[in-house]
Amino acid sequence: MPKAQETAVYTHGHHESVLRSHVWRTAENSAAYLLGVLKPHMRILDIGCGPGTITADLAERVPDGHVTGVDHAPDVLERARATAAGRGLTNVDFAVADVHALDYPDDTFCVVHAHQVLQHVGDPVQALREMHRVTKPGGFIAVRDGDYAAMTWYPALPGLDDWLDLYERVARGNGGEPDAGRRLKAWALAAGLTDVTATSSTWTFATPEERAWWSGLWADRTMASAYAERAVGGGHATAEQLAAVSEAWREWGRREDAWFAVLHGEILCRKAV
């Protein structure tokens, strides 16, 4: 029987169109629910750190502490190291890791954080157990994930309905759960976490600049990323169908009245003392 971590494949990969989105993320726009509990001395583990923009922001908020960013992809960690170095940070390091089996002792970190990770893993409940294990008593497990079926937009272009249907089929075919946001609390309770605060927040794209950026990265991702390869290779779509979805994104981006909202579920869990 395959290990849990082998049953899921990261849907997006690290094509430029994917990193274009990842490097936009900050602690303010992607981890605001966590910031109020941070203290200057804290030691933080940032799981699925990608190119390290959130990791670097967290490191700036714990000047007397330390942040370790981990990711399953070694190549993207070079980008993360460059991000931290470019900001002159000395209280951060990076390593390859698997969230299902973290290579850290029990009770190591004050905060264990994961942004847009659990939707892509084979066993999110086991991942949360591991996050809980390496968190110190009194520390926090913080998780935020999008929920694709809850995303909403205007105008109602049929091509974007096709995009959502296709994305969800590809993501589930890769072993993930794209509607993770609504499930975070349930997964946390199944993992044995008890002090769980569940919230939600959104990204909204409506200005001309936001529309151009959001539509452009999805139009490109649909045609050129690992997601595109897996959509075709997995028999979920033809190249022609991907091209139609890509053009639907560009059409949406050209609309002056266009609006898109991305809903995220969030959980902040305190480990018992």
Side-chain angles (χ1 to χ4, degrees):
M1 183 174 179
K3 296 178 182 179
Q5 58 265 41
E6 296 173 348
T7 64
V9 175
Y10 181 48
T11 295
H12 299 290
H14 291 97
H15 182 264
E16 182 279 329
S17 60
V18 178
L19 292 179
R20 199 185 313 165
S21 170
H22 291 182
V23 299
W24 166 82
R25 298 172 183 173
T26 66
E28 290 84 358
N29 68 30
S30 299
Y33 71 104
L34 166 63
L35 301 184
V37 305
L38 297 184
K39 306 295 183 187
H41 69 278
M42 283 182 161
R43 185 176 181 187
I44 300 173
L45 179 65
D46 186 24
I47 295 172
C49 67
T53 51
I54 296 175
T55 318
D57 283 351
L58 294 176
E60 289 177 344
R61 283 166 171 75
V62 291
D64 303 322
H66 190 88
V67 180
T68 296
V70 298
D71 203 283
H72 77 291
D75 291 348
V76 80
L77 292 177
E78 291 306 310
R79 182 77 174 263
R81 291 186 180 99
T83 298
R87 291 165 66 166
L89 295 168
T90 58
N91 63 333
V92 60
D93 70 301
F94 297 93
V96 175
D98 171 19
V99 69
H100 299 92
L102 294 167
D103 191 22
Y104 298 102
D106 295 358
D107 306 338
T108 298
F109 299 96
C110 305
V111 174
V112 179
H113 168 262
H115 183 265
Q116 310 290 30
V117 172
L118 294 193
Q119 63 185 283
H120 298 295
V121 306
D123 189 343
V125 173
Q126 170 59 19
L128 282 162
R129 290 192 187 107
E130 274 293 274
M131 294 172 71
H132 181 267
R133 179 184 67 78
V134 302
T135 301
K136 293 179 179 181
F140 296 89
I141 300 97
V143 180
R144 185 176 191 253
D145 265 277
D147 194 298
Y148 277 76
M151 295 182 189
T152 189
W153 57 85
Y154 184 88
L157 302 178
L160 292 191
D161 290 333
D162 294 340
W163 160 75
L164 179 58
D165 174 69
L166 174 62
Y167 181 83
E168 295 221 312
R169 285 189 284 114
V170 173
R172 292 193 173 109
N174 287 337
E177 176 44 69
D179 301 343
R182 69 188 66 188
R183 292 171 164 83
L184 293 182
K185 182 180 179 182
W187 288 341
L189 295 175
L193 281 62
T194 53
D195 187 353
V196 181
T197 299
T199 56
S200 64
S201 61
T202 60
W203 293 333
T204 303
F205 305 103
T207 69
E209 295 78 15
E210 290 165 350
R211 296 196 312 267
W213 180 78
W214 185 244
S215 64
L217 69 86
W218 269 108
D220 293 344
R221 191 180 299 190
T222 299
M223 295 298 293
S225 69
Y227 159 67
E229 296 170 8
R230 288 160 186 154
V232 174
H236 302 290
T238 64
E240 292 75 17
Q241 288 170 324
L242 289 183
V245 168
S246 179
E247 177 52 34
W249 270 111
R250 296 197 187 279
E251 180 184 353
W252 176 86
R254 289 190 292 264
R255 290 285 298 258
E256 184 179 355
D257 59 352
W259 177 93
F260 200 106
V262 179
L263 178 70
H264 298 86
E266 303 158 344
I267 50 170
L268 188 62
C269 315
R270 187 158 196 176
K271 185 171 180 177
V273 177

